[in-house]
Amino acid sequence: MSACLFRDTYLHPLLKVRSQFRQIFLEMGFTEMPMDNFIENSWNVDGLFQPQQHPACDQHDAFFLKDPAEALQLPMDYVQRVKWTHSQGSYGSQGYKYTWKLEEARKNLLRTHSTAASARTLYSLAQKKPFTPAKYFSIDRVFRNETLDATHLAEFHQIEGVIASHGLTLGHLMGVLREFFTKLGITQLLFKPAYNPYTQPSMEVFSYHQSLKKWVEVGSSEVFRPEMLLPMGLPKNVSVIAWGLSLERPTMIKYGINNIRELVGNKVNTQMVYDSPVCSLDIEPRSPQTQEAA
Amino acid sequence: MPTVSVKRDLLFQALGRTYTDEEFDELCFEFGLELDEITSEKQIISKEQGNVKAEGASDVVLYKVDVPANRYDLLCLEGLARGLQVFKERIKAPVYKRVMPKGEIQKLIITEETAKVRPFAVAAVLRNIKFTKDRYDSFIELQEKLHQNICRKRALVAIGTHDLDTLSGPFTFTAKRPSDIKFKPLNKTKEYTACELMNIYKTDNHLKHYLHIIENKPLYPVIYDSNGVVLSMPPIINGNHSKITVNTRNIFIECTGTDFTKAKIVLDIIVTMFSEYCENQFTVEAAEVVSPNGKSSTFPELAYRKEMVRADLINKKVGIRESPANLAKLLTRMCLKSEVIGDGNQIEVEIPPTRADVIHACDIVEDAAIAYGYNNIQMTLPKTYTIANQFPLNKLTELLRLDMAAAGFTEALTFALCSQEDIADKLGLDISETKAVHISNPKTAEFQVARTTLLPGLLKTIAANRKMPLPLKLFEISDIVVKDSSKDVGAKNYRHLCAVYYNKNPGFEIIHGLLDRIMQLLDVPPSEEKGGYVIKASTGSAFFPGRCAEIFARGQSIGKLGVLHPDVITKFELTMPCSSLEINIEPFL
């Protein structure tokens, strides 16, 4: 006897993976951060201690806004501290020693990474005295004005985890990552030194891909620089560790999808949505001949 | 990430040993570099222009290494080899010295005209240098890398290198009207004025990108020697007269720009890297720079900075337990010469001019961790006890998603950016009515605005899936963006729920039933009273007249539902009737 095909009642695979990651963070005791603002301003990038005019800016080409072009309000005392840190150096830092321009910082843009939103949450945390340790996470959309290809779109989702506490070490960061990735079924990890303007140390996280038989990058992780945390008002002995990865990559690997346009956006074939299996991230991905998403 | 291309065998020669590709890959990984590609000139040309053009090109193996964006000292073979050698403890980091010349010091005089166009300049001399073809190529390549990287495509700093033996100081850095500047530029056979050069270089694939830096200024920067020979017109081009060749023995280097700190760093990098080939290895001859106000300064700075770090701080931040003496050894391997001083707990770290990236103790902590080996650090868990909380809006979204699917709808995921037409003209609205956020630098029309409604995305998804069996029932619960002057950035996201039904009949009763089901799930009774919801007949430019209703709940209008207007159907390239529902779910938190 032939079976009836079920056509409706499907959830989108990327969002199924998102639900799984949310679960993992909640299981680890992380609180979800508010991410409900796609529009950020450059100020939030500078507050992270990324210098204006730095080569690192090229990595994140941003969509700038025509309307509203500039931020309406900035917290001016915080702004002053950041300006000083960038241009003259303070909080034990040499700073970047350039002329920091307020007009650059006022420019509005579509957020290029979720760390901008994490910074807002950390700033709120810093205003609450006395300090209580916190663990945060977010999974939401970011925007990059880059050349588009099979694995890159202008919009994608970033997953970010943040821990703010006393006496955190690089060993702690690696330990947390090991627990996080174990929940994804990834147990072999290697860490590689990397560079980011607002974090030090920074590490890229690699795991061994059984089918491709090589180490592939699965995320990045870092310790935030004091030049970013101290102007916010966080106490001196508090460290903040964080890590992130994209949502699309593990989803494409899990569901054997090579072209990101088949996963996100209007041109998605709804048949693909109908066909995707239950998402349990610790089960081996479906298709061994998956192309490596760069 | 900047990529440095080096000849593999030359690199191994500098390193004093050979590696297999895997061994070198591992070494890079340890140090924080990435061996991105192993190729050759022939392969590169073959890939870009086809096998025929590649005939006769070099087969020499090239390593393409990715280096961190802040490590200017690793941007050439010389720096890479040196860094790796010190890392492996095969050599000690060289001590770079500035020396005064035996005769007269070279002078660069800055006039006040430069102030408005390119105010800063620094200079130095590399004396008795010996180039080979490879060293010469490396020298030119480093300047290009620095130009692209820290110099921000020459806007902040531009480097000019000149054969000192063809010139005679003192040199003058001034700014003149373009028509008053005339010289023979690099690789050209006759003289041109600056205006003519600006025109000529408009079609030069390499130089056209830099013209804008000075193009519209009334005065262009220019450097002369005492005989009126033009050394360069920064940041565009050097003069041909002082061109450097493989046989050049004495080099005059000038860096001009708009960022003084970066100009100094760039000069330091060039001279530290290439003073290796000077007769007096690792010494750089000083040059004097006189500012418009008459003040004299000597360059290069080649400053060594000392910073004190507590050993237990490094151990604490990394999560290791090394003795101060061991930590000092680890740092020395990273070119940060260190020694234990004082009570045995303090480490004095000497930061050389090649490490301008080290600006805080945390940079020193990272280098100690790299030398220790990230993968040797013991993994532990923080003793931080926290209770997790969901973001209420996301919690509500997750619950609704499941029930929307249970109600028989399929989830879509569409783009937050779209064209102006999508949210306005195609829905019968004028763009000014939408309060949309506009992007200033969209590459295509698809990125003109942030969506103010989820409807266009869903309709486009249907259009891409016309071949699927009917009915098509899609939903999406996601953010839209509108301008809001009460927010610090001037815009705000709202979480919308949108559903569409596309079939041979519009299915208004299905969409209406869906709304009732959603309200039931949200525990909102159908009632005029407070806390309830009502539907009132309404109009909307996107809807069929007489088939549109507005939904009121929690004291406000939360959205509309109805049958879509045939114009909307056509504009989105659809052919069947369609009804839709879109509401803001935030009032239900």
Side-chain angles (χ1 to χ4, degrees):
Chain A
M1 287 181 75
S2 61
C4 166
L5 277 171
F6 278 82
R7 278 265 171 247
D8 306 313
T9 80
Y10 292 93
L11 290 171
H12 192 282
L14 189 77
L15 300 177
K16 286 202 278 202
V17 176
R18 186 180 71 178
S19 303
Q20 284 296 295
F21 274 105
R22 271 185 99 242
Q23 262 299 103
I24 291 173
F25 277 112
L26 293 169
E27 282 172 14
M28 290 173 71
F30 283 69
T31 290
E32 202 169 15
M33 289 187 271
M35 292 293 285
D36 52 341
N37 60 320
F38 290 161
I39 314 299
E40 263 306 344
N41 56 45
S42 303
W43 148 247
N44 230 299
V45 174
D46 295 355
L48 298 179
F49 200 57
Q50 172 155 314
Q52 296 170 344
Q53 296 245 339
H54 193 274
C57 292
D58 297 338
Q59 295 168 19
H60 302 162
D61 285 325
F63 285 105
F64 285 95
L65 296 195
K66 196 159 64 178
D67 180 23
E70 286 191 343
L72 302 174
Q73 309 152 28
L74 294 178
M76 284 321 280
D77 54 343
Y78 181 20
V79 170
Q80 274 301 103
R81 294 196 290 271
V82 170
K83 173 180 174 169
W84 197 254
T85 313
H86 275 238
S87 49
Q88 308 289 342
S90 71
Y91 304 108
S93 172
Q94 300 289 306
Y96 293 122
K97 298 204 164 46
Y98 69 107
T99 319
W100 186 84
K101 297 197 184 114
L102 186 61
E103 319 84 74
E104 283 291 316
R106 287 198 103 101
K107 287 190 190 158
N108 277 343
L109 41 71
L110 285 169
R111 67 183 174 212
T112 51
H113 48 61
S114 36
T115 318
S118 309
R120 279 182 187 264
T121 304
L122 287 171
Y123 181 72
S124 308
L125 179 67
Q127 309 318 303
K128 296 200 188 94
K129 315 273 184 212
F131 171 79
T132 38
K135 295 199 196 100
Y136 298 116
F137 81 94
S138 68
I139 307 174
D140 213 313
R141 226 176 274 237
V142 297
F143 303 84
R144 303 257 172 102
N145 194 2
E146 279 173 351
T147 333
L148 309 181
D149 59 32
T151 51
H152 293 93
L153 282 176
E155 312 176 27
F156 62 103
H157 294 73
Q158 275 192 336
I159 301 168
E160 180 152 321
V162 178
I163 306 180
S165 187
H166 301 285
L168 292 173
T169 70
L170 208 52
H172 287 144
L173 176 56
M174 292 161 70
V176 169
L177 286 168
R178 185 176 53 185
E179 293 307 313
F180 179 79
F181 281 103
T182 302
K183 283 182 182 285
L184 295 171
I186 296 172
T187 46
Q188 277 180 295
L189 291 179
L190 268 191
F191 298 89
K192 175 171 162 278
Y195 167 69
N196 209 349
Y198 48 85
T199 61
Q200 190 71 295
S202 326
M203 310 188 287
E204 277 161 11
V205 189
F206 287 75
S207 87
Y208 194 72
H209 198 291
Q210 294 297 345
S211 345
L212 293 175
K213 297 234 179 315
K214 64 175 190 168
W215 291 90
V216 295
E217 192 181 335
V218 289
S220 66
S221 63
E222 55 268 332
V223 179
F224 286 133
R225 290 187 76 107
E227 293 100 324
M228 171 186 159
L229 305 176
L230 295 173
M232 283 183 185
L234 282 170
K236 234 176 133 184
N237 58 355
V238 168
S239 339
V240 181
I241 58 178
W243 76 97
L245 58 158
S246 92
L247 183 61
E248 279 74 1
R249 232 174 79 198
T251 308
M252 284 167 74
I253 296 175
K254 174 113 199 119
Y255 288 102
I257 297 170
N258 291 340
N259 187 326
I260 198 171
R261 269 173 204 65
E262 294 169 30
L263 179 63
V264 184
N266 335 305
K267 296 206 169 65
V268 166
N269 186 346
T270 43
Q271 186 67 46
M272 182 276 298
V273 180
Y274 299 155
D275 289 343
S276 357
V278 147
C279 176
S280 186
L281 291 175
D282 50 0
I283 296 173
E284 260 295 299
R286 54 156 34 168
S287 149
Q289 65 268 28
T290 308
Q291 293 279 340
E292 182 41 68
Chain B
M1 265 240 217
T3 309
V4 184
S5 189
V6 293
K7 290 187 180 159
R8 181 195 60 187
D9 296 334
L10 269 183
L11 178 64
F12 286 169
Q13 211 173 49
L15 289 173
R17 61 158 279 191
T18 56
Y19 289 85
T20 63
D21 291 339
E22 288 76 39
E23 286 170 340
F24 191 71
D25 191 36
E26 266 174 42
L27 174 61
C28 287
F29 195 92
E30 244 191 299
F31 196 51
L33 310 173
E34 194 171 331
L35 180 57
D36 189 44
E37 206 187 337
I38 305 171
T39 180
S40 69
E41 209 182 276
K42 198 178 205 162
Q43 282 179 16
I44 298 173
I45 301 180
S46 207
K47 239 197 272 184
E48 291 172 9
Q49 299 173 43
N51 287 333
V52 180
K53 283 257 157 75
E55 291 279 330
S58 167
D59 252 338
V60 169
V61 176
L62 295 175
Y63 271 172
K64 287 196 178 226
V65 182
D66 278 348
V67 306
N70 66 336
R71 291 299 298 272
Y72 317 117
D73 62 319
L74 299 175
L75 284 178
C76 57
L77 181 144
E78 288 75 9
L80 260 180
R82 219 174 286 167
L84 288 169
Q85 291 286 71
V86 175
F87 183 57
K88 283 307 201 184
E89 290 182 284
R90 277 193 219 106
I91 62 169
K92 280 202 164 64
V95 181
Y96 306 102
K97 289 205 188 71
R98 181 180 76 196
V99 293
M100 293 313 252
K102 292 200 180 70
E104 274 232 28
I105 189 170
Q106 294 296 336
K107 259 199 198 145
L108 176 67
I109 303 163
I110 310 179
T111 70
E112 61 184 7
E113 286 85 356
T114 61
K116 291 226 175 69
V117 59
R118 208 163 176 85
F120 303 108
V122 293
V125 174
L126 284 173
R127 189 58 75 178
N128 293 323
I129 195 168
K130 199 145 192 310
F131 275 144
T132 60
K133 174 97 186 26
D134 288 315
R135 294 176 186 180
Y136 172 82
D137 289 341
S138 187
F139 188 61
I140 304 295
E141 187 57 25
L142 175 62
Q143 292 175 55
E144 199 37 46
K145 285 265 155 359
L146 290 169
H147 276 157
Q148 292 306 312
N149 190 358
I150 182 179
C151 302
R152 290 295 268 169
K153 299 198 176 64
R154 301 197 192 181
L156 298 186
V157 183
I159 308 160
T161 52
H162 312 277
D163 189 332
L164 187 54
D165 298 331
T166 66
L167 300 167
S168 120
F171 305 101
T172 312
F173 175 39
T174 183
K176 279 194 165 161
R177 280 202 313 254
S179 45
D180 294 339
I181 303 174
K182 194 167 185 199
F183 66 105
K184 197 198 300 188
L186 201 59
N187 296 328
K188 290 254 186 272
T189 49
K190 67 183 218 9
E191 290 197 341
Y192 295 94
T193 64
C195 309
E196 291 171 325
L197 288 175
M198 282 297 170
N199 261 329
I200 294 174
Y201 291 138
K202 271 199 172 63
T203 51
D204 183 307
N205 273 328
H206 181 53
L207 295 176
K208 67 184 183 189
H209 305 288
Y210 310 122
L211 301 179
H212 71 96
I213 302 171
I214 58 169
E215 204 166 15
N216 297 319
K217 305 273 182 191
L219 304 176
Y220 287 1
V222 59
I223 305 182
Y224 292 101
D225 81 344
S226 62
N227 294 328
V229 173
V230 170
L231 274 73
S232 63
M233 186 176 73
I236 310 295
I237 191 87
N238 285 352
N240 201 51
H241 183 103
S242 51
K243 182 161 114 165
I244 303 215
T245 67
V246 170
N247 299 319
T248 303
R249 296 281 293 159
N250 300 301
I251 304 181
F252 179 70
I253 306 170
E254 36 88 0
C255 297
T256 60
T258 52
D259 184 320
F260 193 40
T261 307
K262 295 201 171 72
K264 290 192 281 186
I265 293 175
V266 167
L267 184 68
D268 279 356
I269 294 292
I270 301 180
V271 300
T272 50
M273 291 296 111
F274 285 90
S275 53
E276 180 178 341
Y277 303 131
C278 291
E279 201 168 87
N280 218 336
Q281 246 197 356
F282 302 121
T283 65
V284 185
E285 186 178 300
E288 191 180 317
V289 176
V290 186
S291 357
N293 62 8
K295 182 157 170 279
S296 259
S297 319
T298 321
F299 294 102
E301 279 194 351
L302 289 184
Y304 279 83
R305 194 168 64 81
K306 286 208 159 81
E307 204 162 312
M308 301 278 267
V309 190
R310 288 212 337 266
D312 59 351
L313 176 82
I314 300 181
N315 280 328
K316 241 178 61 165
K317 290 278 177 194
V318 178
I320 53 178
R321 280 211 267 282
E322 287 290 294
S323 69
N326 274 347
L327 289 175
K329 251 179 88 180
L330 290 176
L331 289 171
T332 307
R333 281 175 60 200
M334 300 301 288
C335 291
L336 298 176
K337 196 163 84 118
S338 307
E339 54 176 10
V340 183
I341 62 162
D343 57 359
N345 195 26
Q346 297 267 35
I347 304 179
E348 188 182 72
V349 183
E350 188 185 71
I351 299 153
T354 46
R355 295 300 307 273
D357 58 295
V358 175
I359 58 178
H360 188 283
C362 62
D363 298 302
I364 296 172
V365 169
E366 187 194 53
D367 272 13
I370 294 177
Y372 185 84
Y374 278 3
N375 296 297
N376 295 329
I377 301 173
Q378 198 193 14
M379 301 196 219
T380 52
L381 284 176
K383 295 179 177 55
T384 313
Y385 179 70
T386 51
I387 306 240
N389 274 313
Q390 298 186 52
F391 187 55
L393 189 55
N394 290 352
K395 186 171 171 185
L396 178 62
T397 303
E398 289 287 291
L399 294 169
L400 282 177
R401 282 176 64 223
L402 294 174
D403 278 311
M404 290 291 286
F409 281 71
T410 295
E411 192 172 27
L413 176 64
T414 63
F415 293 127
L417 299 180
C418 58
S419 68
Q420 269 184 209
E421 268 193 341
D422 283 337
I423 57 168
D425 311 0
K426 290 189 189 170
L427 299 175
L429 290 170
D430 187 79
I431 189 69
S432 50
E433 298 173 70
T434 58
K435 292 208 289 186
V437 166
H438 290 252
I439 312 294
S440 74
N441 54 337
K443 285 202 168 104
T444 70
E446 288 306 303
F447 306 130
Q448 284 173 327
V449 291
R451 65 187 174 196
T452 52
T453 148
L454 296 175
L455 185 59
L458 290 182
L459 294 176
K460 292 200 299 203
T461 308
I462 297 182
N465 285 282
R466 259 172 311 214
K467 299 209 173 63
M468 298 299 294
L470 296 173
L472 276 172
K473 293 144 71 181
L474 300 180
F475 81 93
E476 187 171 3
I477 307 180
S478 188
D479 283 2
I480 60 119
V481 187
V482 285
K483 287 197 331 190
D484 184 335
S485 48
S486 69
K487 298 287 284 181
D488 64 338
V489 290
K492 185 170 165 18
N493 283 19
Y494 285 100
R495 189 65 54 88
H496 276 205
L497 179 159
C498 185
V500 290
Y501 179 91
Y502 182 76
N503 199 6
K504 296 196 181 83
N505 62 300
F508 179 76
E509 65 285 358
I510 297 187
I511 285 293
H512 187 174
L514 183 67
L515 173 69
D516 290 341
R517 172 76 185 132
I518 295 170
M519 290 296 129
Q520 182 184 48
L521 289 166
L522 292 170
D523 205 17
V524 179
S527 152
E528 285 269 7
E529 306 203 358
K530 194 167 174 230
Y533 78 100
V534 277
I535 305 177
K536 297 202 169 112
S538 173
T539 54
S541 56
F543 294 98
F544 205 97
R547 288 278 180 281
C548 170
E550 198 165 346
I551 311 148
F552 293 88
R554 300 280 158 93
Q556 55 185 277
S557 163
I558 58 162
K560 290 195 174 141
L561 80 163
V563 177
L564 292 180
H565 197 289
D567 284 351
V568 174
I569 307 284
T570 336
K571 287 195 180 131
F572 280 97
E573 295 167 29
L574 301 175
T575 50
M576 299 282 170
C578 184
S579 55
S580 81
L581 157 72
E582 185 166 359
I583 56 171
N584 174 4
I585 62 169
E586 293 192 23
F588 301 104
L589 284 172

